[in-house]
C-alpha cells in the first residue's frame, strides 16, 4: 500500500529522495519506543543508514550479491522482493502514468494520488464476477 509520494526528474537518483519520502509519510506512525519499524533498502542506499535512524527506522541495507551467496549456501532460501517493486508494477498498469507527459508536478502528483486510491480500493474491496464481496 502506498504511504507517501515523492516526485522528481528521471535523472535524479532514488537516494536523493530518501529524506523527502520518509518525511512525507501520510499515515501516523506509532511511537518508535512501542513498535520498532524496519526499513529494507538495496545496496544503492549504503551510507544512508543515519537518515533512517534519525527518523526512527531500523535500516536493513542488503549488499550486492548477498542473496546469491545465501542461495548457494542454503538452496531453500527464498529471496525477499521489495514491496516498492510491487507497487511500481501496479502503478505501471495505469497507462497514463507509464510515461509522464504532465509538465507540472502538481498535475502528476494528482494522477499518482488517484492511481494509489484505486490501488487501495482494489485491495480492500474484492470484486468476484461483477459482485462486490465483503
Amino acid at each position: 500500500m502506498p504511504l507517501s509520494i515523492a516526485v522528481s526528474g528521471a535523472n535524479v537518483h532514488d537516494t536523493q529522495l530518501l529524506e523527502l519520502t520518509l518525511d512525507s509519510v501520510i499515515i501516523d506512525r506509532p511511537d518508535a519506543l512501542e513498535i520498532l519499524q524496519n526499513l529494507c533498502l538495496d545496496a544503492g542506499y549504503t551510507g544512508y543508514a543515519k537518515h533512517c535512524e534519525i527518523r526512527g527506522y531500523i535500516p536493513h541495507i542488503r549488499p550486492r550479491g548477498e542473496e546469491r551467496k545465501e542461495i548457494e549456501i542454503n538452496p531453500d532460501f527464498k529471496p525477499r522482493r521489495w514491496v516498492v517493486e510491487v507497487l511500481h508494477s501496479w502503478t505501471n498498469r495505469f497507462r497514463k502514468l507509464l510515461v509522464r507527459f504532465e509538465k507540472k508536478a502538481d498535475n502528476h502528483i494528482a494522477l499518482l494520488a488517484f492511481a494509489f486510491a484505486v490501488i487501495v480500493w482494489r485491495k480492500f474491496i474484492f470484486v468476484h464476477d461483477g459482485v462486490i464481496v465483503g
Side-chain angles (χ1 to χ4, degrees), residues 1-2 14 40-45 62 64 67 79-93 98 116 119:
M1 187 177 329
D14 296 344
C40 295
L41 301 168
D42 61 10
Y45 292 91
R62 178 160 278 219
R64 292 184 185 269
E67 282 183 0
R80 279 195 234 166
R81 297 294 170 234
W82 311 119
V83 178
V84 174
E85 292 175 2
V86 173
L87 180 62
H88 286 198
S89 173
W90 292 338
T91 306
N92 287 340
R93 294 179 186 164
L98 198 54
F116 290 166
I119 289 170

Side-chain angles (χ1 to χ4, degrees), residues 1 8 12 18-19 22 28 38 57 60 63-64 72 76 80 85 90-91 97 102 109 112 114-116 118 125 131:
M1 187 177 329
S8 71
V12 177
L18 177 64
E19 295 179 52
L22 295 178
D28 292 333
N38 299 301
Y57 290 99
H60 298 278
R64 292 184 185 269
E72 291 172 1
D76 295 331
R80 279 195 234 166
E85 292 175 2
W90 292 338
T91 306
L97 295 174
E102 289 74 30
I109 290 172
L112 283 170
F114 180 70
F116 290 166
V118 171
I125 298 177
V131 178

